[in-house]
Amino acid sequence: MRLRNIPGSREVIAESEFVIHDMEETRGKWADVFGNDHPIYIEVGMGKGRFITQLAIENPDKNFIGIEKYSSVLLRAIEKREELSDLTNLYFLRMDAEDLEKVFAPGEVQGIYLNFSDPWPKDRHAKRRLPSKEFLARYDRILVPEGKVEFKTDNKDLFDFALEQAKEANWDLEACTFDLHHNEEMMQGNIMTEYEERFSSQGNPICKMIISREKR
Ligand code: SAM
């Protein structure tokens, strides 16, 4: 998702109290930012932030961080976040997820959500796909040992790629469906993302996998 450049979005982000600006100094100190040691969950490539914002509303005993690389998209998430000023468990980061390890210390993250990640269809761009083994290695280094990565998409090629990459990188497949919206068990508590709503309303089945490396 890349919205038209919105004039002033960088300035709004720079001044937002909901965006962490001194990211690298915060590494290993996220409990101080939230003022508690509740587990931290991140969404990588959150887009306009509907999913992570709803998760934060529903789970006040957990902390959430939404990560997005484009200012114009993040701006939309901030606008919604501003209407929820009582919410204390949600912050945003404007960054490229390639730098996750500069921002999170080993074991600082409890769980990672990837929703409708960009497919990067050309083979030479495979490393940029968020469920690639290069990204799994980054996730491996910031997650707690029992941490999970949850990935949803309607893009079957990307999903097949993600399944292969997880296997190659020796992650365990804990759950998997090629039709989430007709899988009663995996649908429990499902929060729709913006893209999920759009593609499922067009009749596209949604795939979901949950992986961990607990049994390693
Ligand atoms: N997760 C949202 C949803 O399901 O509605 C948005 C999906 S959109 C297709 C993917 C988003 O991921 C885009 O907003 C894009 O800018 C962001 N993104 C892609 N690669 C990223 C990266 N390396 N770091 C941070 N954000 C990234």
Side-chain angles (χ1 to χ4, degrees):
M1 183 188 309
R2 194 168 180 180
L3 298 179
R4 208 167 23 89
N5 184 38
I6 299 173
S9 56
R10 279 187 180 260
E11 290 75 6
V12 173
I13 290 167
E15 279 166 27
S16 175
E17 60 185 300
F18 302 120
V19 178
I20 300 302
H21 303 287
D22 46 359
M23 296 182 255
E24 294 185 19
E25 284 88 276
T26 310
R27 186 177 190 269
K29 299 181 196 137
W30 279 98
D32 297 344
V33 172
F34 287 103
N36 60 53
D37 57 4
H38 297 171
I40 294 171
Y41 294 80
I42 66 175
E43 183 184 9
V44 182
M46 70 163 171
K48 296 182 200 166
R50 179 212 282 194
F51 171 85
I52 193 115
T53 302
Q54 189 58 33
L55 261 183
I57 293 169
E58 291 181 16
N59 296 279
D61 54 341
K62 295 175 179 167
N63 294 325
F64 297 92
I65 300 166
I67 295 171
E68 172 53 51
K69 107 175 136 173
Y70 289 117
S71 303
S72 52
V73 189
L74 174 57
L75 183 66
R76 298 296 176 227
I78 294 172
E79 285 167 354
K80 274 186 274 176
R81 176 72 181 84
E82 280 169 353
E83 293 164 18
L84 300 164
S85 49
D86 290 348
L87 207 60
T88 55
N89 61 338
L90 174 63
Y91 285 98
F92 300 134
L93 294 173
R94 191 187 66 76
M95 61 175 280
D96 192 312
E98 285 188 7
D99 293 329
L100 278 176
E101 291 158 85
K102 292 186 187 159
V103 177
F104 297 103
E108 206 168 18
V109 175
Q110 187 74 33
I112 298 179
Y113 297 99
L114 308 175
N115 292 315
F116 296 80
S117 307
D118 294 330
W120 292 106
K122 292 190 178 131
D123 284 348
R124 68 189 155 90
H125 292 149
K127 283 186 195 169
R128 297 185 194 174
R129 298 174 192 153
L130 294 179
S132 65
K133 58 180 190 292
E134 287 78 9
F135 271 99
L136 290 179
R138 296 180 179 110
Y139 306 149
D140 188 24
R141 292 192 283 266
I142 61 169
L143 275 173
V144 294
E146 70 279 16
K148 298 183 201 311
V149 175
E150 301 200 9
F151 173 50
K152 290 197 276 190
T153 183
D154 69 320
N155 185 316
K156 181 71 171 47
D157 289 344
L158 182 63
F159 193 70
D160 289 342
F161 168 83
L163 286 170
E164 272 168 30
Q165 297 281 289
K167 196 171 174 191
E168 261 182 54
N170 209 16
W171 288 60
D172 303 311
L173 186 60
E174 295 210 348
C176 177
T177 176
F178 294 89
D179 192 359
L180 175 64
H181 291 192
H182 292 100
N183 181 317
E184 208 178 318
E185 198 182 331
M186 288 185 76
M187 243 334 240
Q188 274 177 28
N190 185 56
I191 294 174
M192 293 266 249
T193 79
E194 274 103 355
Y195 272 63
E196 183 173 357
E197 186 159 284
R198 187 191 305 170
F199 292 126
S200 60
S201 72
Q202 292 169 6
N204 297 7
I206 306 301
C207 305
K208 177 170 180 176
M209 63 191 241
I210 303 176
I211 54 172
S212 72
R213 66 274 195 257
E214 216 167 343
K215 295 185 206 125
R216 257 192 230 163

